[in-house]
Amino acid sequence: MKRFILLIILVFIGYVSKSLWEERVQQFVPLTITDSIRSTVDSVKENPEINFAIDTLNQQLNSLFLTLNNQPSESNDSKVERPKLTAPKDQLFSIHNIELGESRADVEQEIGKPKRTSKNEYGVSWDAYHENYQNFIMVAYDEEDIVRGLYTNQDMIASSTGIKLGSPKQTIQEQLGTPESIMRKGLVNYEINSNGEYDVFQLDNNYVTIFYDKHENNTVTAIQVIDEELEQNKNDFYTESSQEQKEGFEYQLFDLTNASRENHDLPILTWDDHVRETAREHSMDMAENQYLDHTNLQGQSPFDHMKEDNIRFITAGENLAYGQFSSIFAHEGLMNSLGHRKNILQESYEYLGVGVAFNNESQPYLLKIFIVISRLFRI
């Protein structure tokens, strides 16, 4: 029993000594736990027999961690076969062999029912289809269940021009021409300021947005195709705030994160409602007080927020986004920011909570908190 207790203590110390925080975040371990560990270690360290046992356990722990780190991911044990993609018949692009104008019945006959339905910025919903985040796509239907929007960040893109995931940016512009610099809505022209991260093209009565991965030589990393009428029905770049819209952005960011992790053969994250509430509180504070920072105006860090909310963890990370007009644009922007990308693709993370709030101008503040709760403490 003593050896087992010492093993648990040493495992905990080994974990909490890791410093995996990104983006100006400092590690936090509840004082009640650290004090308990400290007093326990102080009481045994002077005993020679215990010291010998500790040395032995250290060797065993090193072997244990090596074994755990080399275990295959639970979420990626089985790969789903990618469908054979064919050139679209009526549109320039298809995704998972689906084109705008098809019916929901035809889509779901081919790929089954959606895993999630959540409200998007166009006043309709994104239906997410995937098999454990493999073959991931999102489809938007109108009131008559006709496909009016498509998105994927996986190898589901087919085009009559040969454009696909991984195509160079130069090839895109050679094939599709000069991207749009403005988008007109009603009597207002909105400037498209993409910072080179995406191009918008108006083709076949559709708006096609091609996203690029700056860290993969500016190659295609995702595509969104939106029916022109659906786009024009959205009167502004930003959508009106509502509880349903907040939840929509939150769940979409969660799904998009997992789809990107699947692309890199990483474990799939589990949704955490408790963490979501902490993220929402900080997003609301930023929206109401018009700032963007991991630390609030009272000097409290994300760790302080989680301590107040009684969230216990081993390590954690936090991503912030502001001003993007959808969950898709927010996610693609985070993937092009190296620090945020590291959090999204951090192998050790196990849970994710996303919190969204809107300011008075309907601009969203999006916050994602990743945490690790070691499997060893769930026995």
Side-chain angles (χ1 to χ4, degrees), residues 125-137:
S125 297
W126 280 123
D127 282 23
Y129 298 86
H130 58 86
E131 299 169 80
N132 201 26
Y133 290 100
Q134 299 174 56
N135 298 337
F136 177 85
I137 69 169

Side-chain angles (χ1 to χ4, degrees), residues 215-228:
H215 306 290
E216 296 291 342
N217 300 315
N218 280 318
T219 53
V220 175
T221 189
I223 185 173
Q224 175 182 271
V225 184
I226 298 294
D227 177 81
E228 183 177 19

Side-chain angles (χ1 to χ4, degrees), residues 194-197 212-219 336 341:
S194 68
N195 294 319
E197 296 183 0
Y212 305 111
D213 191 332
K214 288 185 174 181
H215 306 290
E216 296 291 342
N217 300 315
N218 280 318
T219 53
N336 271 322
R341 183 189 184 96

Side-chain angles (χ1 to χ4, degrees), residues 107-314:
V107 171
E108 296 187 355
Q109 183 178 356
E110 292 296 324
I111 62 176
K113 298 293 184 180
K115 294 296 192 295
R116 191 195 310 280
T117 298
S118 56
K119 187 175 181 180
N120 65 26
E121 66 278 13
Y122 293 105
V124 294
S125 297
W126 280 123
D127 282 23
Y129 298 86
H130 58 86
E131 299 169 80
N132 201 26
Y133 290 100
Q134 299 174 56
N135 298 337
F136 177 85
I137 69 169
M138 297 201 300
V139 182
Y141 300 97
D142 63 16
E143 294 179 352
E144 298 179 352
D145 280 340
I146 301 300
V147 177
R148 298 302 181 192
L150 291 165
Y151 167 87
T152 189
N153 60 356
Q154 294 187 350
D155 192 7
M156 297 281 105
I157 305 169
S159 171
S160 56
T161 64
I163 293 172
K164 58 184 180 179
L165 197 79
S167 294
K169 184 177 183 178
Q170 181 179 351
T171 299
I172 305 304
Q173 295 182 351
E174 288 174 353
Q175 293 284 344
L176 303 184
T178 303
E180 302 293 321
S181 59
I182 62 170
M183 182 179 292
R184 187 173 182 84
K185 288 182 173 290
L187 300 177
V188 180
N189 287 333
Y190 292 91
E191 183 179 358
I192 299 174
N193 185 15
S194 68
N195 294 319
E197 296 183 0
Y198 60 87
D199 285 329
V200 179
F201 302 91
Q202 193 170 2
L203 306 164
D204 293 337
N205 298 316
N206 302 322
Y207 285 98
V208 178
T209 304
I210 308 288
F211 297 91
Y212 305 111
D213 191 332
K214 288 185 174 181
H215 306 290
E216 296 291 342
N217 300 315
N218 280 318
T219 53
V220 175
T221 189
I223 185 173
Q224 175 182 271
V225 184
I226 298 294
D227 177 81
E228 183 177 19
E229 184 177 353
L230 183 63
E231 180 67 60
Q232 290 302 323
N233 285 340
K234 185 161 73 81
N235 296 324
D236 200 341
F237 258 17
Y238 295 106
T239 188
E240 293 184 4
S241 171
S242 69
Q243 185 64 28
E244 188 180 11
Q245 186 64 74
K246 291 177 185 178
E247 291 180 355
F249 279 0
E250 289 166 352
Y251 285 123
Q252 289 155 25
L253 275 170
F254 174 77
D255 288 340
L256 291 164
T257 298
N258 272 333
S260 289
R261 289 175 68 87
E262 170 58 35
N263 289 342
H264 291 81
D265 295 321
L266 296 172
I268 298 305
L269 301 175
T270 300
W271 177 264
D272 193 302
D273 275 322
H274 198 177
V275 175
R276 189 254 294 272
E277 292 306 317
T278 299
R280 277 184 173 180
E281 290 173 7
H282 189 53
S283 292
M284 187 176 300
D285 186 58
M286 290 189 295
E288 290 177 350
N289 293 288
Q290 300 182 26
Y291 72 94
L292 185 69
D293 204 303
H294 294 283
T295 302
N296 68 13
L297 300 181
Q298 288 71 45
Q300 293 176 305
S301 72
F303 284 108
D304 296 323
H305 301 154
M306 285 187 277
K307 177 182 178 182
E308 288 180 351
D309 293 339
N310 296 314
I311 296 174
R312 297 293 180 258
F313 55 91
I314 303 302

Side-chain angles (χ1 to χ4, degrees), residues 344-355:
I344 292 171
L345 302 181
Q346 173 60 255
E347 182 174 5
S348 66
Y349 289 142
E350 297 174 342
Y351 293 86
L352 174 60
V354 183

